[in-house]
Amino acid sequence: MDSALSDPHNGSVEAGGPTNGTTRPPSTPEGIALAYGSLLLMALLPIFFGALRSVRCARGKNASDMPETITSRDAARFPIIASCTLLGLYLFFKIFSQEYINLLLSMYFFVLGILALSHTISPFMNKFFPANFPNRQYQLLFTQGSGENKEEPTAMPSSVQGLTGGRGSPAPGSGLTRPLCPEIINYEFDTKDLVCLGLSSIVGVWYLLRKHWVANNLFGLAFSLNGVELLHLNNVSTGCILLGGLFIYDVFWVFGTNVMVTVAKSFEAPIKLVFPQDLLEKGLEADNFAMLGLGDIVIPGIFIALLLRFDISLKKNTHTYFYTSFAAYIFGLGLTIFIMHIFKHAQPALLYLVPACIGFPVLVALAKGEVTEMFSYESSAEILPHTPRLTHFPTVSGSPASLADSMQQKLAGPRRRRPQNPSAIGRFKKLKIGLHKPKSNLSRLPLPLPPLGTTRHRESGAGSLSEEGAQRGRAKSWKL
């Protein structure tokens, strides 16, 4: 049995012969079943756990850990960008030496693999650290400027970010005199993260030196899980656009040309999951692999994770759409492997995965009458749910006297108003509040505040200022 090969971008499966010209002994039926079953299991693990972690990621309160949201415009452009990338790699392998290109790609994925694997194992490793483990906090900060022009880094709270508008210098009229430092890299980590990075680096060196299939799979699983966790579709319509575009892309580049197969055979990077078909005969030194591209995992996986978040938004304590799409993925990938095994030819896996992952949940929604809710669900609305959002303009009703009484009750609470500099009062603009038509006399409205330390006192029907009123103003604070 020949090895199954997958495309580096979307994971199209091919039954092709060995590329080194040597004759390999046919694999046993047990070895083939073990290889395909292992690939299916390894594909399901990052989808399941990545979907669960995507829910926690969407609810995270740290703005730096917010996921990347894919919009409908991004989804429409993705097949075009993927096609250009695939064709570019094909031309590179035809023009330049394959050895040097793979060396450059290996170094690139070596760094990315260490970071992805560290992020993946970090939640699991935290359970093994003892309670008295000395966990120190670190920060890697890379800012702009040097010498006399160097700007001191300044932490920008949300209120200051609103004044700066996301730029390094304060907005005019904001009252900030010192420019804020633009942060290019701001990475916070602790001692536990350093331990995870050290363990991941061992795997990275192992892969870089040996290119062993176990190290390749560890990096591939980490890439897949991080992709499902951190790449979020904003709605179901965007997911249909993305999967539909890649459906056409996959079929064209597999059945229409040999570009995808050529790139897949020449590309040496941990962007695919592999499992040896001759493991039972040769052990860990086996070299006749069945392969599955990471695109077959990540692309359907982010759609399945979206349906899990949709299930949670319904607040019915059921995960119907998630389990349905998960079962549809198992069916689609199993059908891909079966047809590839029967016809011994390259098979675009998304040809079977896309109709299954979209069709099954839509049929369930039709049966339950929730098609409208499914396609109107917006996943991006659940990111940072603690952030208040203004959905409508409030209206102010009631008489001016009742408004003044309610404001007086709020000011009479436990908080104390700090005395302010009289000169600072002039920097505040007067606010105009539109009220409904008053039901009482307007003479009960509070007058504009005079400078602090004085009070308006009527003498002989005239509104003049007196020293006695000024002393009373210093003794108590003004109340509206």
Side-chain angles (χ1 to χ4, degrees), residues 294-351:
L294 300 188
D296 285 341
I297 303 173
V298 176
I299 299 301
I302 60 178
F303 186 77
I304 296 173
L306 171 67
L307 294 180
L308 175 60
R309 298 193 297 273
F310 170 65
D311 277 324
I312 296 176
S313 69
L314 296 177
K315 298 180 180 179
K316 295 182 179 180
N317 295 326
T318 59
H319 296 159
T320 305
Y321 295 99
F322 171 69
Y323 291 130
T324 301
S325 57
F326 197 74
Y329 179 84
I330 298 175
F331 170 78
L333 188 57
L335 183 61
T336 304
I337 296 174
F338 174 76
I339 294 182
M340 183 200 65
H341 179 74
I342 295 299
F343 291 96
K344 306 295 191 296
H345 189 273
Q347 295 297 319
L350 294 182
L351 175 64

CSV table of all heavy atoms in Angstrom, one decimal, residues 294-351:
chain,number,residue,atom,x,y,z
A,294,LEU,N,-2.8,19.7,7.9
A,294,LEU,CA,-3.5,20.4,9.0
A,294,LEU,C,-4.7,21.2,8.5
A,294,LEU,O,-5.5,21.6,9.3
A,294,LEU,CB,-2.4,21.4,9.6
A,294,LEU,CG,-1.2,20.7,10.2
A,294,LEU,CD1,-0.4,21.7,11.0
A,294,LEU,CD2,-1.6,19.5,11.1
A,295,GLY,N,-4.7,21.6,7.2
A,295,GLY,CA,-5.9,22.3,6.7
A,295,GLY,C,-7.2,21.5,6.9
A,295,GLY,O,-8.3,22.1,7.1
A,296,ASP,N,-7.1,20.2,6.7
A,296,ASP,CA,-8.3,19.4,6.9
A,296,ASP,C,-8.7,19.4,8.4
A,296,ASP,O,-9.9,18.9,8.6
A,296,ASP,CB,-8.0,17.9,6.5
A,296,ASP,CG,-7.9,17.8,5.0
A,296,ASP,OD1,-8.4,18.6,4.3
A,296,ASP,OD2,-7.3,16.8,4.5
A,297,ILE,N,-7.9,19.8,9.3
A,297,ILE,CA,-8.3,19.9,10.7
A,297,ILE,C,-8.7,21.3,11.1
A,297,ILE,O,-9.8,21.5,11.7
A,297,ILE,CB,-7.1,19.4,11.6
A,297,ILE,CG1,-6.7,18.0,11.2
A,297,ILE,CG2,-7.5,19.5,13.0
A,297,ILE,CD1,-5.4,17.6,11.9
A,298,VAL,N,-8.0,22.3,10.7
A,298,VAL,CA,-8.2,23.7,11.2
A,298,VAL,C,-9.4,24.3,10.5
A,298,VAL,O,-10.3,24.9,11.2
A,298,VAL,CB,-6.9,24.5,10.9
A,298,VAL,CG1,-7.2,26.0,11.4
A,298,VAL,CG2,-5.8,24.0,11.7
A,299,ILE,N,-9.5,24.1,9.2
A,299,ILE,CA,-10.6,24.8,8.5
A,299,ILE,C,-12.0,24.3,9.0
A,299,ILE,O,-12.9,25.1,9.4
A,299,ILE,CB,-10.5,24.6,7.0
A,299,ILE,CG1,-9.2,25.3,6.5
A,299,ILE,CG2,-11.7,25.2,6.2
A,299,ILE,CD1,-9.1,26.7,6.8
A,300,PRO,N,-12.3,23.0,8.9
A,300,PRO,CA,-13.5,22.5,9.5
A,300,PRO,C,-13.6,22.7,11.0
A,300,PRO,O,-14.7,22.9,11.6
A,300,PRO,CB,-13.6,21.0,9.2
A,300,PRO,CG,-12.6,20.8,8.1
A,300,PRO,CD,-11.5,21.8,8.4
A,301,GLY,N,-12.4,22.7,11.7
A,301,GLY,CA,-12.4,22.9,13.2
A,301,GLY,C,-12.9,24.2,13.7
A,301,GLY,O,-13.6,24.3,14.7
A,302,ILE,N,-12.6,25.3,13.0
A,302,ILE,CA,-13.0,26.6,13.4
A,302,ILE,C,-14.5,26.8,13.2
A,302,ILE,O,-15.2,27.5,13.9
A,302,ILE,CB,-12.2,27.7,12.7
A,302,ILE,CG1,-12.4,27.7,11.2
A,302,ILE,CG2,-10.8,27.7,13.1
A,302,ILE,CD1,-11.7,28.8,10.4
A,303,PHE,N,-15.1,26.0,12.2
A,303,PHE,CA,-16.5,26.1,12.0
A,303,PHE,C,-17.2,25.3,13.1
A,303,PHE,O,-18.3,25.7,13.6
A,303,PHE,CB,-16.9,25.5,10.6
A,303,PHE,CG,-18.3,25.6,10.2
A,303,PHE,CD1,-18.8,26.8,9.8
A,303,PHE,CD2,-19.1,24.5,10.3
A,303,PHE,CE1,-20.2,26.9,9.5
A,303,PHE,CE2,-20.5,24.6,9.9
A,303,PHE,CZ,-21.0,25.8,9.5
A,304,ILE,N,-16.7,24.2,13.4
A,304,ILE,CA,-17.2,23.4,14.5
A,304,ILE,C,-17.2,24.1,15.9
A,304,ILE,O,-18.1,24.1,16.7
A,304,ILE,CB,-16.5,22.0,14.6
A,304,ILE,CG1,-16.8,21.2,13.4
A,304,ILE,CG2,-17.0,21.2,15.8
A,304,ILE,CD1,-15.9,19.9,13.3
A,305,ALA,N,-16.1,24.8,16.1
A,305,ALA,CA,-16.0,25.6,17.3
A,305,ALA,C,-17.0,26.8,17.3
A,305,ALA,O,-17.5,27.1,18.4
A,305,ALA,CB,-14.5,26.2,17.4
A,306,LEU,N,-17.3,27.3,16.2
A,306,LEU,CA,-18.3,28.4,16.1
A,306,LEU,C,-19.7,27.8,16.5
A,306,LEU,O,-20.4,28.5,17.2
A,306,LEU,CB,-18.4,28.9,14.6
A,306,LEU,CG,-19.5,29.9,14.3
A,306,LEU,CD1,-19.4,31.2,15.1
A,306,LEU,CD2,-19.6,30.1,12.8
A,307,LEU,N,-20.0,26.6,16.0
A,307,LEU,CA,-21.3,26.0,16.4
A,307,LEU,C,-21.3,25.6,17.9
A,307,LEU,O,-22.4,25.7,18.5
A,307,LEU,CB,-21.5,24.7,15.6
A,307,LEU,CG,-21.6,24.9,14.1
A,307,LEU,CD1,-21.8,23.6,13.3
A,307,LEU,CD2,-22.8,25.9,13.8
A,308,LEU,N,-20.2,25.3,18.5
A,308,LEU,CA,-20.2,25.1,20.0
A,308,LEU,C,-20.5,26.4,20.7
A,308,LEU,O,-21.3,26.4,21.6
A,308,LEU,CB,-18.8,24.6,20.4
A,308,LEU,CG,-18.6,24.5,21.9
A,308,LEU,CD1,-19.7,23.5,22.5
A,308,LEU,CD2,-17.2,24.0,22.3
A,309,ARG,N,-20.0,27.5,20.2
A,309,ARG,CA,-20.3,28.8,20.9
A,309,ARG,C,-21.7,29.2,20.6
A,309,ARG,O,-22.4,29.9,21.4
A,309,ARG,CB,-19.3,29.9,20.3
A,309,ARG,CG,-17.9,29.7,20.7
A,309,ARG,CD,-17.0,30.9,20.4
A,309,ARG,NE,-17.0,31.3,19.1
A,309,ARG,CZ,-16.1,30.8,18.2
A,309,ARG,NH1,-15.2,29.9,18.5
A,309,ARG,NH2,-16.1,31.2,16.9
A,310,PHE,N,-22.3,28.8,19.4
A,310,PHE,CA,-23.7,29.0,19.2
A,310,PHE,C,-24.6,28.2,20.1
A,310,PHE,O,-25.6,28.7,20.6
A,310,PHE,CB,-24.0,28.7,17.7
A,310,PHE,CG,-25.5,28.7,17.4
A,310,PHE,CD1,-26.2,29.8,17.4
A,310,PHE,CD2,-26.1,27.5,17.0
A,310,PHE,CE1,-27.6,29.8,17.1
A,310,PHE,CE2,-27.4,27.5,16.7
A,310,PHE,CZ,-28.2,28.7,16.8
A,311,ASP,N,-24.2,27.0,20.3
A,311,ASP,CA,-24.9,26.1,21.3
A,311,ASP,C,-25.0,26.8,22.7
A,311,ASP,O,-26.0,26.8,23.3
A,311,ASP,CB,-24.3,24.8,21.4
A,311,ASP,CG,-24.7,23.8,20.3
A,311,ASP,OD1,-25.9,23.9,19.9
A,311,ASP,OD2,-23.9,23.0,19.9
A,312,ILE,N,-23.8,27.3,23.1
A,312,ILE,CA,-23.8,28.0,24.4
A,312,ILE,C,-24.6,29.2,24.5
A,312,ILE,O,-25.3,29.6,25.5
A,312,ILE,CB,-22.3,28.3,24.8
A,312,ILE,CG1,-21.6,26.9,24.9
A,312,ILE,CG2,-22.2,29.1,26.1
A,312,ILE,CD1,-20.1,27.1,25.2
A,313,SER,N,-24.7,30.0,23.3
A,313,SER,CA,-25.5,31.2,23.3
A,313,SER,C,-27.0,30.9,23.4
A,313,SER,O,-27.8,31.8,23.8
A,313,SER,CB,-25.2,32.0,22.0
A,313,SER,OG,-25.7,31.3,20.9
A,314,LEU,N,-27.4,29.7,23.0
A,314,LEU,CA,-28.8,29.4,23.1
A,314,LEU,C,-29.3,29.2,24.6
A,314,LEU,O,-30.5,29.2,24.9
A,314,LEU,CB,-29.1,28.1,22.3
A,314,LEU,CG,-29.0,28.2,20.8
A,314,LEU,CD1,-29.2,26.9,20.1
A,314,LEU,CD2,-29.9,29.3,20.2
A,315,LYS,N,-28.3,28.9,25.5
A,315,LYS,CA,-28.6,28.7,26.9
A,315,LYS,C,-29.6,27.6,27.1
A,315,LYS,O,-30.5,27.7,28.0
A,315,LYS,CB,-29.0,30.0,27.5
A,315,LYS,CG,-28.0,31.1,27.4
A,315,LYS,CD,-28.5,32.4,28.1
A,315,LYS,CE,-27.5,33.5,28.0
A,315,LYS,NZ,-27.9,34.8,28.6
A,316,LYS,N,-29.5,26.5,26.4
A,316,LYS,CA,-30.3,25.3,26.6
A,316,LYS,C,-29.6,24.2,27.3
A,316,LYS,O,-30.2,23.1,27.4
A,316,LYS,CB,-30.9,24.9,25.3
A,316,LYS,CG,-31.8,25.9,24.6
A,316,LYS,CD,-32.4,25.4,23.3
A,316,LYS,CE,-33.4,26.4,22.7
A,316,LYS,NZ,-33.9,25.9,21.4
A,317,ASN,N,-28.4,24.4,27.6
A,317,ASN,CA,-27.6,23.3,28.3
A,317,ASN,C,-27.4,22.1,27.4
A,317,ASN,O,-27.3,21.0,27.9
A,317,ASN,CB,-28.2,22.9,29.6
A,317,ASN,CG,-28.1,24.1,30.6
A,317,ASN,OD1,-27.2,24.9,30.6
A,317,ASN,ND2,-29.1,24.2,31.5
A,318,THR,N,-27.5,22.3,26.1
A,318,THR,CA,-27.2,21.2,25.1
A,318,THR,C,-26.2,21.7,24.1
A,318,THR,O,-26.1,22.8,23.8
A,318,THR,CB,-28.6,20.8,24.4
A,318,THR,OG1,-29.1,22.0,23.7
A,318,THR,CG2,-29.6,20.3,25.4
A,319,HIS,N,-25.5,20.7,23.6
A,319,HIS,CA,-24.5,21.0,22.5
A,319,HIS,C,-24.9,20.2,21.3
A,319,HIS,O,-24.0,19.5,20.7
A,319,HIS,CB,-23.1,20.6,23.0
A,319,HIS,CG,-22.6,21.4,24.2
A,319,HIS,ND1,-21.7,20.9,25.1
A,319,HIS,CD2,-23.0,22.6,24.7
A,319,HIS,CE1,-21.5,21.8,26.0
A,319,HIS,NE2,-22.3,22.8,25.8
A,320,THR,N,-26.1,20.4,20.8
A,320,THR,CA,-26.6,19.6,19.7
A,320,THR,C,-25.8,19.9,18.4
A,320,THR,O,-25.4,18.9,17.7
A,320,THR,CB,-28.1,19.9,19.5
A,320,THR,OG1,-28.8,19.7,20.7
A,320,THR,CG2,-28.7,19.0,18.4
A,321,TYR,N,-25.6,21.1,18.1
A,321,TYR,CA,-25.0,21.5,16.9
A,321,TYR,C,-23.5,21.1,16.9
A,321,TYR,O,-22.9,20.7,15.9
A,321,TYR,CB,-25.2,23.0,16.6
A,321,TYR,CG,-26.6,23.3,16.3
A,321,TYR,CD1,-27.4,23.9,17.3
A,321,TYR,CD2,-27.2,23.1,15.1
A,321,TYR,CE1,-28.7,24.2,17.1
A,321,TYR,CE2,-28.5,23.4,14.9
A,321,TYR,CZ,-29.3,24.0,15.9
A,321,TYR,OH,-30.6,24.3,15.7
A,322,PHE,N,-22.9,21.2,18.0
A,322,PHE,CA,-21.5,20.8,18.1
A,322,PHE,C,-21.3,19.3,17.9
A,322,PHE,O,-20.4,18.9,17.1
A,322,PHE,CB,-20.9,21.2,19.5
A,322,PHE,CG,-19.5,20.7,19.8
A,322,PHE,CD1,-18.4,21.2,19.1
A,322,PHE,CD2,-19.4,19.7,20.8
A,322,PHE,CE1,-17.2,20.7,19.4
A,322,PHE,CE2,-18.1,19.2,21.0
A,322,PHE,CZ,-17.0,19.7,20.4
A,323,TYR,N,-22.1,18.5,18.6
A,323,TYR,CA,-21.9,17.1,18.4
A,323,TYR,C,-22.4,16.6,17.0
A,323,TYR,O,-21.8,15.7,16.5
A,323,TYR,CB,-22.8,16.4,19.5
A,323,TYR,CG,-22.2,16.5,20.9
A,323,TYR,CD1,-23.1,16.9,21.9
A,323,TYR,CD2,-20.9,16.3,21.2
A,323,TYR,CE1,-22.6,17.1,23.2
A,323,TYR,CE2,-20.4,16.4,22.4
A,323,TYR,CZ,-21.2,16.8,23.5
A,323,TYR,OH,-20.7,17.0,24.7
A,324,THR,N,-23.3,17.3,16.4
A,324,THR,CA,-23.7,17.0,15.1
A,324,THR,C,-22.6,17.3,14.1
A,324,THR,O,-22.3,16.4,13.2
A,324,THR,CB,-25.0,17.8,14.7
A,324,THR,OG1,-26.1,17.5,15.6
A,324,THR,CG2,-25.4,17.4,13.3
A,325,SER,N,-22.0,18.4,14.2
A,325,SER,CA,-20.9,18.8,13.3
A,325,SER,C,-19.7,17.9,13.5
A,325,SER,O,-18.9,17.6,12.6
A,325,SER,CB,-20.6,20.3,13.4
A,325,SER,OG,-20.2,20.6,14.7
A,326,PHE,N,-19.5,17.6,14.8
A,326,PHE,CA,-18.3,16.7,15.1
A,326,PHE,C,-18.5,15.3,14.5
A,326,PHE,O,-17.6,14.7,14.0
A,326,PHE,CB,-18.2,16.6,16.7
A,326,PHE,CG,-16.9,16.1,17.1
A,326,PHE,CD1,-15.8,16.9,17.1
A,326,PHE,CD2,-16.8,14.8,17.6
A,326,PHE,CE1,-14.5,16.4,17.5
A,326,PHE,CE2,-15.5,14.3,18.1
A,326,PHE,CZ,-14.4,15.1,18.0
A,327,ALA,N,-19.7,14.8,14.6
A,327,ALA,CA,-20.0,13.5,14.0
A,327,ALA,C,-19.9,13.6,12.4
A,327,ALA,O,-19.5,12.7,11.8
A,327,ALA,CB,-21.4,13.0,14.4
A,328,ALA,N,-20.4,14.8,11.9
A,328,ALA,CA,-20.3,15.0,10.5
A,328,ALA,C,-18.8,15.0,10.0
A,328,ALA,O,-18.5,14.5,8.9
A,328,ALA,CB,-21.0,16.3,10.1
A,329,TYR,N,-17.9,15.6,10.8
A,329,TYR,CA,-16.5,15.6,10.5
A,329,TYR,C,-15.9,14.1,10.4
A,329,TYR,O,-15.2,13.8,9.6
A,329,TYR,CB,-15.7,16.4,11.5
A,329,TYR,CG,-14.2,16.5,11.2
A,329,TYR,CD1,-13.7,17.4,10.3
A,329,TYR,CD2,-13.4,15.6,11.8
A,329,TYR,CE1,-12.4,17.4,10.0
A,329,TYR,CE2,-12.0,15.7,11.6
A,329,TYR,CZ,-11.5,16.6,10.7
A,329,TYR,OH,-10.2,16.6,10.4
A,330,ILE,N,-16.3,13.3,11.4
A,330,ILE,CA,-15.9,11.9,11.4
A,330,ILE,C,-16.3,11.2,10.2
A,330,ILE,O,-15.6,10.5,9.5
A,330,ILE,CB,-16.4,11.2,12.7
A,330,ILE,CG1,-15.8,11.9,14.0
A,330,ILE,CG2,-16.0,9.8,12.7
A,330,ILE,CD1,-16.3,11.4,15.3
A,331,PHE,N,-17.6,11.4,9.8
A,331,PHE,CA,-18.1,10.8,8.6
A,331,PHE,C,-17.4,11.3,7.4
A,331,PHE,O,-17.0,10.4,6.5
A,331,PHE,CB,-19.6,11.1,8.5
A,331,PHE,CG,-20.2,10.7,7.2
A,331,PHE,CD1,-20.5,9.4,7.0
A,331,PHE,CD2,-20.5,11.6,6.2
A,331,PHE,CE1,-21.1,9.0,5.8
A,331,PHE,CE2,-21.1,11.3,5.0
A,331,PHE,CZ,-21.4,9.9,4.8
A,332,GLY,N,-17.2,12.6,7.2
A,332,GLY,CA,-16.5,13.1,6.0
A,332,GLY,C,-15.1,12.6,5.9
A,332,GLY,O,-14.6,12.3,4.8
A,333,LEU,N,-14.3,12.6,7.0
A,333,LEU,CA,-12.9,12.2,6.9
A,333,LEU,C,-12.8,10.7,6.7
A,333,LEU,O,-12.0,10.2,6.0
A,333,LEU,CB,-12.2,12.6,8.2
A,333,LEU,CG,-10.7,12.4,8.2
A,333,LEU,CD1,-10.0,13.2,7.1
A,333,LEU,CD2,-10.1,12.8,9.6
A,334,GLY,N,-13.7,10.0,7.3
A,334,GLY,CA,-13.8,8.5,7.1
A,334,GLY,C,-14.1,8.2,5.6
A,334,GLY,O,-13.5,7.3,5.0
A,335,LEU,N,-15.0,9.0,5.0
A,335,LEU,CA,-15.3,8.8,3.6
A,335,LEU,C,-14.1,9.1,2.7
A,335,LEU,O,-13.9,8.4,1.7
A,335,LEU,CB,-16.6,9.6,3.2
A,335,LEU,CG,-17.1,9.5,1.8
A,335,LEU,CD1,-17.5,8.0,1.6
A,335,LEU,CD2,-18.2,10.4,1.6
A,336,THR,N,-13.4,10.2,3.1
A,336,THR,CA,-12.2,10.5,2.3
A,336,THR,C,-11.2,9.4,2.3
A,336,THR,O,-10.6,9.0,1.2
A,336,THR,CB,-11.6,11.8,2.9
A,336,THR,OG1,-12.6,12.8,3.0
A,336,THR,CG2,-10.4,12.3,2.1
A,337,ILE,N,-10.9,8.9,3.5
A,337,ILE,CA,-9.9,7.8,3.6
A,337,ILE,C,-10.4,6.5,2.8
A,337,ILE,O,-9.6,5.9,2.1
A,337,ILE,CB,-9.7,7.5,5.0
A,337,ILE,CG1,-9.0,8.7,5.7
A,337,ILE,CG2,-8.8,6.2,5.2
A,337,ILE,CD1,-8.8,8.5,7.2
A,338,PHE,N,-11.7,6.3,2.9
A,338,PHE,CA,-12.2,5.1,2.2
A,338,PHE,C,-12.1,5.2,0.7
A,338,PHE,O,-11.6,4.3,0.0
A,338,PHE,CB,-13.7,4.9,2.6
A,338,PHE,CG,-14.3,3.8,1.8
A,338,PHE,CD1,-14.1,2.5,2.1
A,338,PHE,CD2,-15.2,4.1,0.8
A,338,PHE,CE1,-14.7,1.4,1.4
A,338,PHE,CE2,-15.8,3.1,0.1
A,338,PHE,CZ,-15.6,1.7,0.4
A,339,ILE,N,-12.4,6.4,0.1
A,339,ILE,CA,-12.4,6.6,-1.3
A,339,ILE,C,-10.9,6.6,-1.8
A,339,ILE,O,-10.6,6.1,-2.9
A,339,ILE,CB,-13.1,7.8,-1.7
A,339,ILE,CG1,-14.6,7.7,-1.4
A,339,ILE,CG2,-12.9,8.2,-3.2
A,339,ILE,CD1,-15.5,8.8,-1.8
A,340,MET,N,-10.0,7.2,-1.0
A,340,MET,CA,-8.6,7.2,-1.4
A,340,MET,C,-8.1,5.8,-1.4
A,340,MET,O,-7.3,5.4,-2.2
A,340,MET,CB,-7.8,8.1,-0.4
A,340,MET,CG,-6.4,8.2,-0.7
A,340,MET,SD,-5.4,8.7,0.7
A,340,MET,CE,-5.6,7.3,1.8
A,341,HIS,N,-8.5,5.0,-0.4
A,341,HIS,CA,-8.0,3.6,-0.3
A,341,HIS,C,-8.5,2.8,-1.5
A,341,HIS,O,-7.8,1.9,-2.0
A,341,HIS,CB,-8.4,3.0,1.0
A,341,HIS,CG,-8.0,1.6,1.2
A,341,HIS,ND1,-6.7,1.2,1.4
A,341,HIS,CD2,-8.7,0.4,1.1
A,341,HIS,CE1,-6.6,-0.1,1.6
A,341,HIS,NE2,-7.8,-0.6,1.4
A,342,ILE,N,-9.7,3.1,-2.0
A,342,ILE,CA,-10.3,2.3,-3.0
A,342,ILE,C,-9.7,2.7,-4.4
A,342,ILE,O,-9.3,1.8,-5.2
A,342,ILE,CB,-11.9,2.4,-3.0
A,342,ILE,CG1,-12.5,1.8,-1.8
A,342,ILE,CG2,-12.5,1.8,-4.3
A,342,ILE,CD1,-12.2,0.4,-1.6
A,343,PHE,N,-9.7,4.0,-4.7
A,343,PHE,CA,-9.3,4.4,-6.0
A,343,PHE,C,-7.8,4.7,-6.1
A,343,PHE,O,-7.3,4.9,-7.2
A,343,PHE,CB,-10.0,5.7,-6.4
A,343,PHE,CG,-11.5,5.5,-6.6
A,343,PHE,CD1,-12.4,5.7,-5.6
A,343,PHE,CD2,-12.0,5.0,-7.8
A,343,PHE,CE1,-13.8,5.5,-5.8
A,343,PHE,CE2,-13.3,4.8,-8.0
A,343,PHE,CZ,-14.2,5.0,-7.0
A,344,LYS,N,-7.0,4.7,-5.0
A,344,LYS,CA,-5.6,4.9,-5.1
A,344,LYS,C,-5.2,6.2,-5.8
A,344,LYS,O,-4.3,6.2,-6.7
A,344,LYS,CB,-4.9,3.7,-5.8
A,344,LYS,CG,-5.2,2.3,-5.2
A,344,LYS,CD,-4.7,2.2,-3.8
A,344,LYS,CE,-4.8,0.8,-3.3
A,344,LYS,NZ,-6.2,0.3,-3.2
A,345,HIS,N,-5.9,7.3,-5.6
A,345,HIS,CA,-5.7,8.5,-6.3
A,345,HIS,C,-5.9,9.7,-5.3
A,345,HIS,O,-6.6,9.5,-4.2
A,345,HIS,CB,-6.7,8.7,-7.4
A,345,HIS,CG,-6.4,9.8,-8.3
A,345,HIS,ND1,-6.8,11.1,-8.1
A,345,HIS,CD2,-5.6,9.9,-9.5
A,345,HIS,CE1,-6.4,11.9,-9.1
A,345,HIS,NE2,-5.6,11.2,-9.9
A,346,ALA,N,-5.3,10.8,-5.6
A,346,ALA,CA,-5.4,12.0,-4.7
A,346,ALA,C,-6.8,12.4,-4.5
A,346,ALA,O,-7.6,12.5,-5.5
A,346,ALA,CB,-4.6,13.1,-5.4
A,347,GLN,N,-7.2,12.6,-3.3
A,347,GLN,CA,-8.6,13.0,-3.0
A,347,GLN,C,-8.6,14.4,-2.2
A,347,GLN,O,-7.9,14.5,-1.2
A,347,GLN,CB,-9.2,11.9,-2.1
A,347,GLN,CG,-9.4,10.6,-2.8
A,347,GLN,CD,-10.3,10.7,-4.0
A,347,GLN,OE1,-11.3,11.4,-4.0
A,347,GLN,NE2,-9.9,10.0,-5.1
A,348,PRO,N,-9.3,15.4,-2.7
A,348,PRO,CA,-9.4,16.6,-1.9
A,348,PRO,C,-10.4,16.4,-0.8
A,348,PRO,O,-11.6,16.1,-0.9
A,348,PRO,CB,-10.0,17.6,-3.0
A,348,PRO,CG,-10.7,16.7,-3.9
A,348,PRO,CD,-10.0,15.4,-4.0
A,349,ALA,N,-9.8,16.4,0.4
A,349,ALA,CA,-10.6,16.0,1.6
A,349,ALA,C,-11.8,17.0,1.8
A,349,ALA,O,-12.8,16.5,2.3
A,349,ALA,CB,-9.7,16.0,2.8
A,350,LEU,N,-11.6,18.2,1.5
A,350,LEU,CA,-12.7,19.2,1.7
A,350,LEU,C,-13.9,18.9,0.8
A,350,LEU,O,-15.0,19.4,1.0
A,350,LEU,CB,-12.2,20.6,1.5
A,350,LEU,CG,-11.2,21.1,2.6
A,350,LEU,CD1,-10.8,22.6,2.3
A,350,LEU,CD2,-11.7,21.0,4.0
A,351,LEU,N,-13.7,18.1,-0.2
A,351,LEU,CA,-14.8,17.7,-1.1
A,351,LEU,C,-15.8,16.9,-0.3
A,351,LEU,O,-17.0,17.0,-0.7
A,351,LEU,CB,-14.2,16.9,-2.3
A,351,LEU,CG,-15.2,16.3,-3.2
A,351,LEU,CD1,-16.0,17.4,-4.0
A,351,LEU,CD2,-14.5,15.4,-4.2
